[in-house]
Amino acid sequence: MAGLAGPYLVAAVLALLLATVLAFAVPATTPASRQSYPALLAEPLRLLRTEPELRRSCWYQTTVFAGFSAVWTCLALLLTGPAYGLGAQAVGLLALVGGATMLCTPLAGRLVDRRGPDPVNLICLLGVLLSAAILAAGALGGTPGLVALTVGTLLLDVAMQSGMVANQARVYALRPDARSRLNTAYMTCAYLGGSAGSWLGVHAWGQAGWWGVCALVALLTALALVRHLPAPTPLPGHPRRPL
């Protein structure tokens, strides 16, 4: 028996076979861009610098995904701690609630088509803020706390995923010829926010427990809401500065 190395050896053989098949099956194509590979790698950074709407979408998703990651990073600490005394399996069962987002994101897409991404973003940000308030009740423990955690994580998941639909609709409308590069910039910012959120969540947990994590989610959402507010009308003779 190959032991622990067995599955990896099988996966390596299958990957090699798949690569061989693809080498013969995939038709030859012409590059969509004649830029060099280093230039293509730098293109998302240039787009972030030159496209204000891309930066706005990235900011929304960065803050919301940071709060999302903070909650799910610390949820295991809450459920396995003295307030509940549950096993790690409880976290997995709670995560199954997020499957409902598959039903909600198509509705969000249709709403974006009818109303545009901004109203959907506003609804989603307010939903995240409400979820932080509901999740805070999870610190109470017992059945009421579990109900609050279930409802709060469901609302958080739906708001985060629906907000992503709105943000990507805004991003893809900017430059149809550069959608992959726009998406690279957007997703990189989102996952950097998720990584930062996990780190901040653990520190908030260490300082103030579950209440601190929920306060962090509310603070991050407030930062996104401030960015969502319309800029004040400039006075005559004072042109608006680009963001």
Side-chain angles (χ1 to χ4, degrees):
M1 297 293 291
L4 292 175
Y8 296 99
L9 291 173
V10 172
V13 172
L14 291 176
L16 181 60
L17 290 173
L18 181 60
T20 303
V21 171
L22 290 176
F24 292 96
V26 175
T29 58
T30 57
S33 173
R34 299 199 177 275
Q35 289 180 287
S36 65
Y37 187 64
L40 287 173
L41 291 178
E43 185 70 6
L45 294 175
R46 189 190 69 80
L47 290 170
L48 276 171
R49 181 173 56 84
T50 59
E51 297 288 349
E53 290 297 280
L54 173 61
R55 294 198 300 272
R56 184 156 73 102
S57 293
C58 289
W59 178 243
Y60 291 162
Q61 197 62 31
T62 297
T63 51
V64 170
F65 196 49
F68 177 89
S69 297
V71 166
W72 282 102
T73 298
C74 298
L75 195 59
L77 301 175
L78 176 66
L79 291 177
T80 57
Y84 291 96
L86 299 174
Q89 296 88 345
V91 183
L93 290 174
L94 192 59
L96 293 176
V97 175
T101 57
M102 293 186 295
L103 303 175
C104 298
T105 47
L107 298 176
R110 287 195 286 272
L111 188 58
V112 170
D113 291 338
R114 290 199 302 267
R115 303 282 184 173
D118 280 358
V120 177
N121 270 136
L122 179 59
I123 293 171
C124 292
L125 292 174
L126 293 175
V128 174
L129 201 59
L130 178 60
S131 75
I134 296 172
L135 285 168
L140 300 175
T143 301
L146 278 176
V147 171
L149 291 177
T150 302
V151 175
T153 52
L154 175 60
L155 181 57
L156 179 63
D157 284 8
V158 169
M160 191 275 292
Q161 295 288 354
S162 299
M164 178 173 283
V165 172
N167 288 326
Q168 287 186 308
R170 183 188 296 108
V171 167
Y172 288 158
L174 296 175
R175 291 269 307 274
D177 61 313
R179 284 182 173 176
S180 61
R181 284 160 278 169
L182 289 165
N183 194 54
T184 297
Y186 172 74
M187 295 305 296
T188 299
C189 291
Y191 280 101
L192 286 175
S195 300
S198 296
W199 182 81
L200 291 170
V202 170
H203 282 269
W205 173 271
Q207 294 295 320
W210 185 246
W211 299 101
V213 176
C214 296
L216 173 64
V217 175
L219 174 61
L220 290 168
T221 309
L223 293 175
L225 281 169
V226 168
R227 177 64 184 83
H228 192 80
L229 295 175
T233 304
L235 296 175
H238 294 77
R240 190 195 304 267
R241 291 184 179 180
L243 296 177

